[in-house]
C-alpha cells in the first residue's frame, strides 16, 4: 500500500511540477517520511529529483537557454557540495524562516522589476546559483526559490521549465554523489528513489499539453500563487518548530 501511495502522489506531483516547474518535493517528502522515515526521505527525494529534472529537460529540450544554464550551474554545483556537507549542523528553523520570507518578498519585487523592464543578467544568475546551490545541499528542496530567479531572467513556459530543470539537475547530481560518498545513500534507497522518480517523470510528460495552453501572464500568476503558498508554509514550519 505504501508503494502504491508513493506512485499515485508521485504522478500527481509530476503533473503539478511539470506545469509550474517545482513542487514535487513539497508534495512527496511528507509521504516518503511517513513510509520510510525522515532520515531516508531526503536522499530518496534527491535521487527522484534528478530523474524529475531530467524528464523536464527531455520534454522541453529545444527551449533550454544554455547561457543561463551555464552561468547558474558553474557556481551552483560546487555550492551544493558545500551545502550537503553542512547539512547536519545548520539549524533547519532558521533556513525555513529565511526561505519563506524570501519567497513572499520576491512576489512584489519580481512585479516591480517587470514593470520597469528590468531583467536579471548572467552575473545575477551565477550569484543566484551559488546561493541556491548551497541551500539545496542543505534542505530537501529549494525549487520555489529558483522560480523567481529564472522568471526574472525573462524565461517563461517551456524555456523556464527546461532551463531551470537543467540547472537543478547539476545541483542534485552533486548532492546525490555527496550523499553516496558519505554513506548516506545505500543502494536500497537509490532503488526507492528510482521508483519515486519514474512516477514523477510520467506526470511531467502528461503535463506538457497543459503548459502549451497557458498564456505567459497566466503562467506568471500561477507561479505567484505557488511562491506565496510555499513561503507561508515555510514560515509556518519555522514558527511551529520554535
Amino acid at each position: 500500500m505504501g508503494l502504491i501511495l508513493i506512485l499515485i502522489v508521485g504522478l500527481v506531483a509530476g503533473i503539478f511540477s511539470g506545469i509550474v516547474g517545482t513542487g514535487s518535493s513539497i508534495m512527496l517528502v511528507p509521504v516518503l517520511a511517513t513510509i520510510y522515515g525522515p532520515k531516508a526521505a531526503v536522499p530518496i527525494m534527491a535521487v527522484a529529483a534528478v530523474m524529475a529534472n531530467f524528464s523536464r529537460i527531455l520534454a522541453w529540450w529545444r527551449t533550454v537557454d544554455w547561457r543561463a544554464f551555464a552561468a547558474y550551474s558553474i557556481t551552483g554545483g560546487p555550492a551544493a557540495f558545500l551545502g550537503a556537507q553542512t547539512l547536519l549542523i545548520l539549524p533547519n528553523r532558521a533556513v525555513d524562516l529565511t526561505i519563506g520570507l524570501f519567497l513572499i518578498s520576491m512576489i512584489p519585487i519580481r512585479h516591480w522589476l517587470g514593470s520597469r523592464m528590468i531583467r536579471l543578467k548572467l552575473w545575477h544568475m551565477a550569484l543566484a546559483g551559488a546561493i541556491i546551490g548551497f541551500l539545496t545541499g542543505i534542505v530537501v528542496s529549494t525549487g520555489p526559490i529558483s522560480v523567481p530567479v529564472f522568471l526574472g531572467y525573462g524565461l517563461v513556459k517551456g524555456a523556464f521549465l527546461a532551463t531551470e530543470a537543467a540547472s537543478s539537475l547539476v545541483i542534485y547530481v552533486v548532492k546525490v554523489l555527496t550523499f553516496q560518498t558519505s554513506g548516506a545513500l545505500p543502494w536500497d534507497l537509490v532503488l526507492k528513489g528510482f521508483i519515486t522518480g519514474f512516477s514523477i517523470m510520467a506526470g511531467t510528460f502528461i503535463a506538457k499539453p497543459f503548459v502549451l495552453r497557458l498564456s505567459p501572464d497566466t503562467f506568471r500568476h500561477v507561479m505567484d500563487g505557488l511562491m506565496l503558498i510555499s513561503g507561508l508554509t515555510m514560515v509556518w514550519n519555522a514558527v511551529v518548530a520554535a
Side-chain angles (χ1 to χ4, degrees), residues 52-201:
N53 284 300
F54 184 67
S55 67
R56 284 199 288 273
I57 297 171
L58 290 178
W60 301 99
W61 176 260
R62 298 178 184 275
T63 61
V64 175
D65 187 315
W66 294 108
R67 294 180 65 198
F69 160 76
Y72 187 91
S73 302
I74 199 169
T75 57
F81 170 78
L82 295 176
Q85 292 289 341
T86 59
L87 175 62
L88 299 178
I89 62 174
L90 199 67
N92 290 333
R93 177 174 175 268
V95 173
D96 283 345
L97 184 61
T98 301
I99 293 176
L101 293 176
F102 172 81
L103 289 172
I104 296 171
S105 65
M106 276 305 299
I107 296 174
I109 291 175
R110 186 173 67 80
H111 283 279
W112 182 83
L113 293 174
S115 66
R116 286 157 178 76
M117 302 300 290
I118 298 175
R119 288 191 176 181
L120 300 183
K121 301 184 183 301
L122 289 176
W123 72 268
H124 293 128
M125 301 298 290
L127 178 61
I131 297 172
I132 297 173
F134 182 76
L135 291 176
T136 305
I138 297 170
V139 298
V140 174
S141 173
T142 52
I145 302 180
S146 63
V147 166
V149 173
F150 286 90
L151 291 177
Y153 186 72
L155 303 177
V156 296
K157 300 178 68 173
F160 160 76
L161 293 171
T163 308
E164 194 277 337
S167 304
S168 296
L169 180 63
V170 173
I171 291 175
Y172 277 106
V173 166
V174 171
K175 186 174 181 178
V176 167
L177 291 176
T178 303
F179 282 141
Q180 183 69 48
T181 55
S182 65
L185 187 59
W187 287 109
D188 65 312
L189 296 188
V190 173
L191 178 60
K192 292 171 181 174
F194 272 117
I195 294 173
T196 305
F198 275 122
S199 65
I200 301 175
M201 291 179 75

Side-chain angles (χ1 to χ4, degrees), residues 32-57:
L32 293 172
T34 300
I35 296 173
Y36 298 124
K39 288 187 177 180
V42 175
I44 289 173
M45 194 63 231
V47 175
V50 169
M51 299 177 65
N53 284 300
F54 184 67
S55 67
R56 284 199 288 273
I57 297 171

